[in-house]
Amino acid sequence: MCGNTKQTMDAIFSKTTSLKSFEDIVPEKVVCVGKFPTSLSFEELLYESANEILESSTLDNFSNTLLLVGSSVGGMATSEKVLFRENSYENIDIKKHTIDSIALALDNKFNFLCTRSFSTACTSSANALKTAKELINIGAYENILVVGADEICLTTIFGFSALGILSDEVCTPFQNDRKGMNVAEGIGVLLIQNKSQKNSIELIGAGTSSDAFHIANPDPTAAGAISAITNALEDASLTPSKINYINAHGTGTNANDSTEAKAVKDIFGDEIHISSSKSNIGHTLGAAGAIEAIICVEALNKGLLPPQIRCDDNERDLNFVSEAKELKMDYALSNSFAFGGNNTSLIFGVYNED
Amino acid sequence: MKINVEIVKKALKHNKVKLEDLNEKELVKKMMIRRRLSRSSRILINLAHECEFTKGVMVYGSAFGELIDTVNILESINNNLAVSPTAFQNSVYNTAASYHSIVHGNQSEILTLSCGDETSYNVMQQATLSLLKNKEVFACVVEAMNFDGVEPLNKCKNELEYGVAFTLKKSDEKATVEVNDKEQLGVPSSLSWMKNLYDICSDEEKCIVEIEL
């Protein structure tokens, strides 16, 4: 993200971006991407993020906490460095390459009860959050730390570039003249517990679906997205009118945004407050579900709608939040959609003692 | 929390180098889809067919994901060649499970786990969690590691293509088997737990295993 939670939310509420254009990553192309503005390594940032949560929690340590990680590429950036330096796979450390390299690093540092890693591309950490909710609800665990983490790497930048969907400037989700997406790195950490604390926000609904349509393009009828959102509403026992704000997946690509806009309009109509945070922090891939969950939690806690950097010429005339605006909110929904037609929607609500 | 789970169907495929009998032409009628399938997708689709699974919740696992397509991308970048869009689309860990959903029009929940050596046990745990809300769940782990340059990385001399799958349902009966977490020569560690379960489940008697969530 653009720093810690406070710095990131300040950036979102003030409509600033951490994304920058580079001419020297992809040959003969300008790409706009999001990199951490720090000299700390990705591993150090992971430790710092988990430690920040631990220190602000009621826990002394994570020995009675399940760790669920969502990541799209795991340790790919580390492997790339070795391969491109040595032109050989021989010295790639498999334990630092795989998706669960993130869980292994955190487990070595904090000694969790046990760990599990999800990799469903851009829904990875949203699916980890859904599992956390289910495990807490049945009483299998008291504390679950959900970490969404993806380090930027050339494989994803060149890959999205090959698909022709990378923007050379800061993305403009849902705008009719949108040029594509911005790949970014990010870490999002949430502690899910079976007991409420002061200012607790509840994860009250989670829904999933599969498009069964195409390996990379969403189903343009939006049937999969509609199904995930509807399943989340059903899980939360809420009608669409109860949702106050949607943090959209909103990547800035033509295909994603038109599908999501259709799903939102079909279910919620055109009055629902909606914004995408991708123009502030980019698309953090497997980390996006966790980071955007944090944005929903912060919005609910502060009673402040997160705005979108540009929203003057919108797809389907949805009600985009143009400036940070105070609003008493009870429920916020976060969408995550991924390659393979993997869809996950999460609903967060202000804790109600009743 | 412990839940007992019955193995309803089971399937196993493996080869030291490359599986040749995956029957793709029969199982994937549309040529455009068939041509684009990754190796893991071909193996998973075959295993699912053997388990008579087409629609419903799937929990898929792979420690290494789509290595062949990933290496294809890395080699392109390293040699200043254009990256293949198909290789990139196929490089995510949920590729195999997604292709199966496309082939069969399965719009249910599909999860993909990647938990290193513990992948197959975690897949069983996740599938068991899903069984609390679903009558049957398909659980499958595949590794497809047959890419140029794998030799120095394959220190354990694992077979390069391996897959194991079960169709599962929740059971209120006592567990009939207990899985020994031993390593087997040539079996990737990521699927050894499910391979061991496969080995001790006979076709003649009910196979019920206890899973701790």
Side-chain angles (χ1 to χ4, degrees), chain A residues 4-23:
Chain A
N4 61 23
T5 303
K6 185 183 180 311
Q7 290 164 328
T8 302
M9 293 312 298
D10 286 348
I12 288 170
F13 288 129
S14 63
K15 296 171 67 175
T16 55
T17 185
S18 61
L19 303 167
K20 284 182 184 159
S21 296
F22 294 84
E23 294 179 359

mmCIF file with all atom_site columns, all heavy atoms in Angstrom, chain A residues 4-23:
data_model
loop_
_atom_site.group_PDB
_atom_site.id
_atom_site.type_symbol
_atom_site.label_atom_id
_atom_site.label_alt_id
_atom_site.label_comp_id
_atom_site.label_asym_id
_atom_site.label_entity_id
_atom_site.label_seq_id
_atom_site.pdbx_PDB_ins_code
_atom_site.Cartn_x
_atom_site.Cartn_y
_atom_site.Cartn_z
_atom_site.occupancy
_atom_site.B_iso_or_equiv
_atom_site.pdbx_formal_charge
_atom_site.auth_seq_id
_atom_site.auth_comp_id
_atom_site.auth_asym_id
_atom_site.auth_atom_id
_atom_site.pdbx_PDB_model_num
ATOM 1   N N   . ASN A 1 4  ? 1.448   2.698  6.059   1.00 0.00 ? 4  ASN A N   1
ATOM 2   C CA  . ASN A 1 4  ? 0.586   1.945  6.967   1.00 0.00 ? 4  ASN A CA  1
ATOM 3   C C   . ASN A 1 4  ? -0.891  2.297  6.712   1.00 0.00 ? 4  ASN A C   1
ATOM 4   O O   . ASN A 1 4  ? -1.206  3.068  5.804   1.00 0.00 ? 4  ASN A O   1
ATOM 5   C CB  . ASN A 1 4  ? 0.997   2.193  8.415   1.00 0.00 ? 4  ASN A CB  1
ATOM 6   C CG  . ASN A 1 4  ? 0.864   3.666  8.788   1.00 0.00 ? 4  ASN A CG  1
ATOM 7   O OD1 . ASN A 1 4  ? 0.099   4.401  8.169   1.00 0.00 ? 4  ASN A OD1 1
ATOM 8   N ND2 . ASN A 1 4  ? 1.606   4.081  9.791   1.00 0.00 ? 4  ASN A ND2 1
ATOM 9   N N   . THR A 1 5  ? -1.776  1.720  7.529   1.00 0.00 ? 5  THR A N   1
ATOM 10  C CA  . THR A 1 5  ? -3.207  1.901  7.274   1.00 0.00 ? 5  THR A CA  1
ATOM 11  C C   . THR A 1 5  ? -3.598  3.382  7.284   1.00 0.00 ? 5  THR A C   1
ATOM 12  O O   . THR A 1 5  ? -4.320  3.848  6.396   1.00 0.00 ? 5  THR A O   1
ATOM 13  C CB  . THR A 1 5  ? -4.032  1.131  8.333   1.00 0.00 ? 5  THR A CB  1
ATOM 14  O OG1 . THR A 1 5  ? -3.634  -0.243 8.281   1.00 0.00 ? 5  THR A OG1 1
ATOM 15  C CG2 . THR A 1 5  ? -5.517  1.235  8.063   1.00 0.00 ? 5  THR A CG2 1
ATOM 16  N N   . LYS A 1 6  ? -3.085  4.123  8.278   1.00 0.00 ? 6  LYS A N   1
ATOM 17  C CA  . LYS A 1 6  ? -3.466  5.546  8.373   1.00 0.00 ? 6  LYS A CA  1
ATOM 18  C C   . LYS A 1 6  ? -2.992  6.316  7.137   1.00 0.00 ? 6  LYS A C   1
ATOM 19  O O   . LYS A 1 6  ? -3.756  7.089  6.546   1.00 0.00 ? 6  LYS A O   1
ATOM 20  C CB  . LYS A 1 6  ? -2.869  6.166  9.648   1.00 0.00 ? 6  LYS A CB  1
ATOM 21  C CG  . LYS A 1 6  ? -3.331  7.596  9.843   1.00 0.00 ? 6  LYS A CG  1
ATOM 22  C CD  . LYS A 1 6  ? -2.726  8.279  11.036  1.00 0.00 ? 6  LYS A CD  1
ATOM 23  C CE  . LYS A 1 6  ? -3.230  9.724  11.176  1.00 0.00 ? 6  LYS A CE  1
ATOM 24  N NZ  . LYS A 1 6  ? -3.156  10.514 9.958   1.00 0.00 ? 6  LYS A NZ  1
ATOM 25  N N   . GLN A 1 7  ? -1.739  6.075  6.759   1.00 0.00 ? 7  GLN A N   1
ATOM 26  C CA  . GLN A 1 7  ? -1.206  6.799  5.590   1.00 0.00 ? 7  GLN A CA  1
ATOM 27  C C   . GLN A 1 7  ? -1.995  6.441  4.323   1.00 0.00 ? 7  GLN A C   1
ATOM 28  O O   . GLN A 1 7  ? -2.292  7.302  3.483   1.00 0.00 ? 7  GLN A O   1
ATOM 29  C CB  . GLN A 1 7  ? 0.277   6.464  5.396   1.00 0.00 ? 7  GLN A CB  1
ATOM 30  C CG  . GLN A 1 7  ? 1.159   7.053  6.482   1.00 0.00 ? 7  GLN A CG  1
ATOM 31  C CD  . GLN A 1 7  ? 2.542   6.416  6.511   1.00 0.00 ? 7  GLN A CD  1
ATOM 32  O OE1 . GLN A 1 7  ? 2.699   5.235  6.199   1.00 0.00 ? 7  GLN A OE1 1
ATOM 33  N NE2 . GLN A 1 7  ? 3.542   7.196  6.894   1.00 0.00 ? 7  GLN A NE2 1
ATOM 34  N N   . THR A 1 8  ? -2.330  5.167  4.194   1.00 0.00 ? 8  THR A N   1
ATOM 35  C CA  . THR A 1 8  ? -3.080  4.726  3.016   1.00 0.00 ? 8  THR A CA  1
ATOM 36  C C   . THR A 1 8  ? -4.466  5.343  2.989   1.00 0.00 ? 8  THR A C   1
ATOM 37  O O   . THR A 1 8  ? -4.917  5.839  1.945   1.00 0.00 ? 8  THR A O   1
ATOM 38  C CB  . THR A 1 8  ? -3.186  3.183  3.005   1.00 0.00 ? 8  THR A CB  1
ATOM 39  O OG1 . THR A 1 8  ? -1.876  2.641  3.018   1.00 0.00 ? 8  THR A OG1 1
ATOM 40  C CG2 . THR A 1 8  ? -3.917  2.688  1.770   1.00 0.00 ? 8  THR A CG2 1
ATOM 41  N N   . MET A 1 9  ? -5.146  5.327  4.138   1.00 0.00 ? 9  MET A N   1
ATOM 42  C CA  . MET A 1 9  ? -6.493  5.906  4.171   1.00 0.00 ? 9  MET A CA  1
ATOM 43  C C   . MET A 1 9  ? -6.446  7.413  3.954   1.00 0.00 ? 9  MET A C   1
ATOM 44  O O   . MET A 1 9  ? -7.326  7.970  3.277   1.00 0.00 ? 9  MET A O   1
ATOM 45  C CB  . MET A 1 9  ? -7.192  5.571  5.501   1.00 0.00 ? 9  MET A CB  1
ATOM 46  C CG  . MET A 1 9  ? -7.521  4.089  5.690   1.00 0.00 ? 9  MET A CG  1
ATOM 47  S SD  . MET A 1 9  ? -8.339  3.283  4.273   1.00 0.00 ? 9  MET A SD  1
ATOM 48  C CE  . MET A 1 9  ? -9.860  4.215  4.147   1.00 0.00 ? 9  MET A CE  1
ATOM 49  N N   . ASP A 1 10 ? -5.421  8.072  4.506   1.00 0.00 ? 10 ASP A N   1
ATOM 50  C CA  . ASP A 1 10 ? -5.279  9.518  4.259   1.00 0.00 ? 10 ASP A CA  1
ATOM 51  C C   . ASP A 1 10 ? -5.137  9.778  2.761   1.00 0.00 ? 10 ASP A C   1
ATOM 52  O O   . ASP A 1 10 ? -5.723  10.721 2.218   1.00 0.00 ? 10 ASP A O   1
ATOM 53  C CB  . ASP A 1 10 ? -4.058  10.081 5.007   1.00 0.00 ? 10 ASP A CB  1
ATOM 54  C CG  . ASP A 1 10 ? -4.302  10.190 6.506   1.00 0.00 ? 10 ASP A CG  1
ATOM 55  O OD1 . ASP A 1 10 ? -5.475  10.057 6.920   1.00 0.00 ? 10 ASP A OD1 1
ATOM 56  O OD2 . ASP A 1 10 ? -3.329  10.394 7.253   1.00 0.00 ? 10 ASP A OD2 1
ATOM 57  N N   . ALA A 1 11 ? -4.322  8.925  2.102   1.00 0.00 ? 11 ALA A N   1
ATOM 58  C CA  . ALA A 1 11 ? -4.117  9.078  0.649   1.00 0.00 ? 11 ALA A CA  1
ATOM 59  C C   . ALA A 1 11 ? -5.430  8.859  -0.102  1.00 0.00 ? 11 ALA A C   1
ATOM 60  O O   . ALA A 1 11 ? -5.753  9.612  -1.034  1.00 0.00 ? 11 ALA A O   1
ATOM 61  C CB  . ALA A 1 11 ? -3.061  8.087  0.174   1.00 0.00 ? 11 ALA A CB  1
ATOM 62  N N   . ILE A 1 12 ? -6.190  7.864  0.335   1.00 0.00 ? 12 ILE A N   1
ATOM 63  C CA  . ILE A 1 12 ? -7.460  7.574  -0.350  1.00 0.00 ? 12 ILE A CA  1
ATOM 64  C C   . ILE A 1 12 ? -8.457  8.717  -0.133  1.00 0.00 ? 12 ILE A C   1
ATOM 65  O O   . ILE A 1 12 ? -9.060  9.216  -1.086  1.00 0.00 ? 12 ILE A O   1
ATOM 66  C CB  . ILE A 1 12 ? -8.027  6.217  0.131   1.00 0.00 ? 12 ILE A CB  1
ATOM 67  C CG1 . ILE A 1 12 ? -7.167  5.084  -0.447  1.00 0.00 ? 12 ILE A CG1 1
ATOM 68  C CG2 . ILE A 1 12 ? -9.493  6.052  -0.276  1.00 0.00 ? 12 ILE A CG2 1
ATOM 69  C CD1 . ILE A 1 12 ? -7.462  3.713  0.118   1.00 0.00 ? 12 ILE A CD1 1
ATOM 70  N N   . PHE A 1 13 ? -8.596  9.145  1.118   1.00 0.00 ? 13 PHE A N   1
ATOM 71  C CA  . PHE A 1 13 ? -9.585  10.206 1.400   1.00 0.00 ? 13 PHE A CA  1
ATOM 72  C C   . PHE A 1 13 ? -9.200  11.532 0.735   1.00 0.00 ? 13 PHE A C   1
ATOM 73  O O   . PHE A 1 13 ? -10.063 12.345 0.414   1.00 0.00 ? 13 PHE A O   1
ATOM 74  C CB  . PHE A 1 13 ? -9.761  10.393 2.918   1.00 0.00 ? 13 PHE A CB  1
ATOM 75  C CG  . PHE A 1 13 ? -10.509 9.253  3.572   1.00 0.00 ? 13 PHE A CG  1
ATOM 76  C CD1 . PHE A 1 13 ? -10.012 8.608  4.702   1.00 0.00 ? 13 PHE A CD1 1
ATOM 77  C CD2 . PHE A 1 13 ? -11.732 8.824  3.057   1.00 0.00 ? 13 PHE A CD2 1
ATOM 78  C CE1 . PHE A 1 13 ? -10.703 7.554  5.303   1.00 0.00 ? 13 PHE A CE1 1
ATOM 79  C CE2 . PHE A 1 13 ? -12.434 7.771  3.653   1.00 0.00 ? 13 PHE A CE2 1
ATOM 80  C CZ  . PHE A 1 13 ? -11.912 7.140  4.775   1.00 0.00 ? 13 PHE A CZ  1
ATOM 81  N N   . SER A 1 14 ? -7.875  11.756 0.549   1.00 0.00 ? 14 SER A N   1
ATOM 82  C CA  . SER A 1 14 ? -7.453  13.023 -0.081  1.00 0.00 ? 14 SER A CA  1
ATOM 83  C C   . SER A 1 14 ? -7.206  12.858 -1.582  1.00 0.00 ? 14 SER A C   1
ATOM 84  O O   . SER A 1 14 ? -6.674  13.761 -2.237  1.00 0.00 ? 14 SER A O   1
ATOM 85  C CB  . SER A 1 14 ? -6.195  13.557 0.601   1.00 0.00 ? 14 SER A CB  1
ATOM 86  O OG  . SER A 1 14 ? -5.136  12.629 0.422   1.00 0.00 ? 14 SER A OG  1
ATOM 87  N N   . LYS A 1 15 ? -7.564  11.694 -2.109  1.00 0.00 ? 15 LYS A N   1
ATOM 88  C CA  . LYS A 1 15 ? -7.479  11.421 -3.559  1.00 0.00 ? 15 LYS A CA  1
ATOM 89  C C   . LYS A 1 15 ? -6.062  11.571 -4.112  1.00 0.00 ? 15 LYS A C   1
ATOM 90  O O   . LYS A 1 15 ? -5.866  12.147 -5.185  1.00 0.00 ? 15 LYS A O   1
ATOM 91  C CB  . LYS A 1 15 ? -8.474  12.308 -4.324  1.00 0.00 ? 15 LYS A CB  1
ATOM 92  C CG  . LYS A 1 15 ? -9.920  12.016 -3.971  1.00 0.00 ? 15 LYS A CG  1
ATOM 93  C CD  . LYS A 1 15 ? -10.889 13.024 -4.551  1.00 0.00 ? 15 LYS A CD  1
ATOM 94  C CE  . LYS A 1 15 ? -10.973 12.964 -6.040  1.00 0.00 ? 15 LYS A CE  1
ATOM 95  N NZ  . LYS A 1 15 ? -12.020 13.876 -6.564  1.00 0.00 ? 15 LYS A NZ  1
ATOM 96  N N   . THR A 1 16 ? -5.084  11.069 -3.377  1.00 0.00 ? 16 THR A N   1
ATOM 97  C CA  . THR A 1 16 ? -3.716  11.054 -3.906  1.00 0.00 ? 16 THR A CA  1
ATOM 98  C C   . THR A 1 16 ? -3.350  9.617  -4.273  1.00 0.00 ? 16 THR A C   1
ATOM 99  O O   . THR A 1 16 ? -3.998  8.669  -3.844  1.00 0.00 ? 16 THR A O   1
ATOM 100 C CB  . THR A 1 16 ? -2.700  11.620 -2.906  1.00 0.00 ? 16 THR A CB  1
ATOM 101 O OG1 . THR A 1 16 ? -2.821  10.901 -1.676  1.00 0.00 ? 16 THR A OG1 1
ATOM 102 C CG2 . THR A 1 16 ? -2.927  13.091 -2.651  1.00 0.00 ? 16 THR A CG2 1
ATOM 103 N N   . THR A 1 17 ? -2.298  9.487  -5.054  1.00 0.00 ? 17 THR A N   1
ATOM 104 C CA  . THR A 1 17 ? -1.932  8.159  -5.558  1.00 0.00 ? 17 THR A CA  1
ATOM 105 C C   . THR A 1 17 ? -0.473  7.826  -5.268  1.00 0.00 ? 17 THR A C   1
ATOM 106 O O   . THR A 1 17 ? 0.372   8.726  -5.167  1.00 0.00 ? 17 THR A O   1
ATOM 107 C CB  . THR A 1 17 ? -2.191  8.075  -7.078  1.00 0.00 ? 17 THR A CB  1
ATOM 108 O OG1 . THR A 1 17 ? -1.942  6.740  -7.515  1.00 0.00 ? 17 THR A OG1 1
ATOM 109 C CG2 . THR A 1 17 ? -1.295  9.023  -7.858  1.00 0.00 ? 17 THR A CG2 1
ATOM 110 N N   . SER A 1 18 ? -0.206  6.543  -5.140  1.00 0.00 ? 18 SER A N   1
ATOM 111 C CA  . SER A 1 18 ? 1.180   6.091  -4.958  1.00 0.00 ? 18 SER A CA  1
ATOM 112 C C   . SER A 1 18 ? 1.729   5.510  -6.260  1.00 0.00 ? 18 SER A C   1
ATOM 113 O O   . SER A 1 18 ? 2.841   4.993  -6.297  1.00 0.00 ? 18 SER A O   1
ATOM 114 C CB  . SER A 1 18 ? 1.232   5.024  -3.861  1.00 0.00 ? 18 SER A CB  1
ATOM 115 O OG  . SER A 1 18 ? 0.455   3.914  -4.246  1.00 0.00 ? 18 SER A OG  1
ATOM 116 N N   . LEU A 1 19 ? 0.935   5.586  -7.329  1.00 0.00 ? 19 LEU A N   1
ATOM 117 C CA  . LEU A 1 19 ? 1.334   4.962  -8.601  1.00 0.00 ? 19 LEU A CA  1
ATOM 118 C C   . LEU A 1 19 ? 2.252   5.880  -9.399  1.00 0.00 ? 19 LEU A C   1
ATOM 119 O O   . LEU A 1 19 ? 2.066   7.099  -9.400  1.00 0.00 ? 19 LEU A O   1
ATOM 120 C CB  . LEU A 1 19 ? 0.084   4.627  -9.417  1.00 0.00 ? 19 LEU A CB  1
ATOM 121 C CG  . LEU A 1 19 ? -0.921  3.718  -8.697  1.00 0.00 ? 19 LEU A CG  1
ATOM 122 C CD1 . LEU A 1 19 ? -2.256  3.693  -9.428  1.00 0.00 ? 19 LEU A CD1 1
ATOM 123 C CD2 . LEU A 1 19 ? -0.360  2.314  -8.557  1.00 0.00 ? 19 LEU A CD2 1
ATOM 124 N N   . LYS A 1 20 ? 3.224   5.283  -10.087 1.00 0.00 ? 20 LYS A N   1
ATOM 125 C CA  . LYS A 1 20 ? 4.160   6.079  -10.894 1.00 0.00 ? 20 LYS A CA  1
ATOM 126 C C   . LYS A 1 20 ? 4.401   5.404  -12.243 1.00 0.00 ? 20 LYS A C   1
ATOM 127 O O   . LYS A 1 20 ? 4.397   4.176  -12.330 1.00 0.00 ? 20 LYS A O   1
ATOM 128 C CB  . LYS A 1 20 ? 5.504   6.203  -10.164 1.00 0.00 ? 20 LYS A CB  1
ATOM 129 C CG  . LYS A 1 20 ? 5.466   7.200  -9.013  1.00 0.00 ? 20 LYS A CG  1
ATOM 130 C CD  . LYS A 1 20 ? 6.818   7.334  -8.363  1.00 0.00 ? 20 LYS A CD  1
ATOM 131 C CE  . LYS A 1 20 ? 6.720   8.260  -7.155  1.00 0.00 ? 20 LYS A CE  1
ATOM 132 N NZ  . LYS A 1 20 ? 7.787   8.076  -6.215  1.00 0.00 ? 20 LYS A NZ  1
ATOM 133 N N   . SER A 1 21 ? 4.652   6.239  -13.255 1.00 0.00 ? 21 SER A N   1
ATOM 134 C CA  . SER A 1 21 ? 4.939   5.697  -14.591 1.00 0.00 ? 21 SER A CA  1
ATOM 135 C C   . SER A 1 21 ? 6.433   5.448  -14.753 1.00 0.00 ? 21 SER A C   1
ATOM 136 O O   . SER A 1 21 ? 7.255   6.241  -14.291 1.00 0.00 ? 21 SER A O   1
ATOM 137 C CB  . SER A 1 21 ? 4.451   6.675  -15.664 1.00 0.00 ? 21 SER A CB  1
ATOM 138 O OG  . SER A 1 21 ? 3.045   6.791  -15.589 1.00 0.00 ? 21 SER A OG  1
ATOM 139 N N   . PHE A 1 22 ? 6.758   4.338  -15.397 1.00 0.00 ? 22 PHE A N   1
ATOM 140 C CA  . PHE A 1 22 ? 8.158   3.949  -15.623 1.00 0.00 ? 22 PHE A CA  1
ATOM 141 C C   . PHE A 1 22 ? 8.364   3.650  -17.112 1.00 0.00 ? 22 PHE A C   1
ATOM 142 O O   . PHE A 1 22 ? 7.526   3.026  -17.747 1.00 0.00 ? 22 PHE A O   1
ATOM 143 C CB  . PHE A 1 22 ? 8.511   2.697  -14.812 1.00 0.00 ? 22 PHE A CB  1
ATOM 144 C CG  . PHE A 1 22 ? 8.495   2.908  -13.323 1.00 0.00 ? 22 PHE A CG  1
ATOM 145 C CD1 . PHE A 1 22 ? 7.311   2.821  -12.605 1.00 0.00 ? 22 PHE A CD1 1
ATOM 146 C CD2 . PHE A 1 22 ? 9.672   3.205  -12.635 1.00 0.00 ? 22 PHE A CD2 1
ATOM 147 C CE1 . PHE A 1 22 ? 7.288   3.013  -11.225 1.00 0.00 ? 22 PHE A CE1 1
ATOM 148 C CE2 . PHE A 1 22 ? 9.656   3.405  -11.259 1.00 0.00 ? 22 PHE A CE2 1
ATOM 149 C CZ  . PHE A 1 22 ? 8.467   3.304  -10.545 1.00 0.00 ? 22 PHE A CZ  1
ATOM 150 N N   . GLU A 1 23 ? 9.528   4.085  -17.625 1.00 0.00 ? 23 GLU A N   1
ATOM 151 C CA  . GLU A 1 23 ? 9.850   3.818  -19.037 1.00 0.00 ? 23 GLU A CA  1
ATOM 152 C C   . GLU A 1 23 ? 10.844  2.676  -19.186 1.00 0.00 ? 23 GLU A C   1
ATOM 153 O O   . GLU A 1 23 ? 11.128  2.247  -20.305 1.00 0.00 ? 23 GLU A O   1
ATOM 154 C CB  . GLU A 1 23 ? 10.451  5.082  -19.678 1.00 0.00 ? 23 GLU A CB  1
ATOM 155 C CG  . GLU A 1 23 ? 9.465   6.225  -19.781 1.00 0.00 ? 23 GLU A CG  1
ATOM 156 C CD  . GLU A 1 23 ? 10.093  7.461  -20.398 1.00 0.00 ? 23 GLU A CD  1
ATOM 157 O OE1 . GLU A 1 23 ? 11.289  7.433  -20.727 1.00 0.00 ? 23 GLU A OE1 1
ATOM 158 O OE2 . GLU A 1 23 ? 9.363   8.450  -20.547 1.00 0.00 ? 23 GLU A OE2 1
#
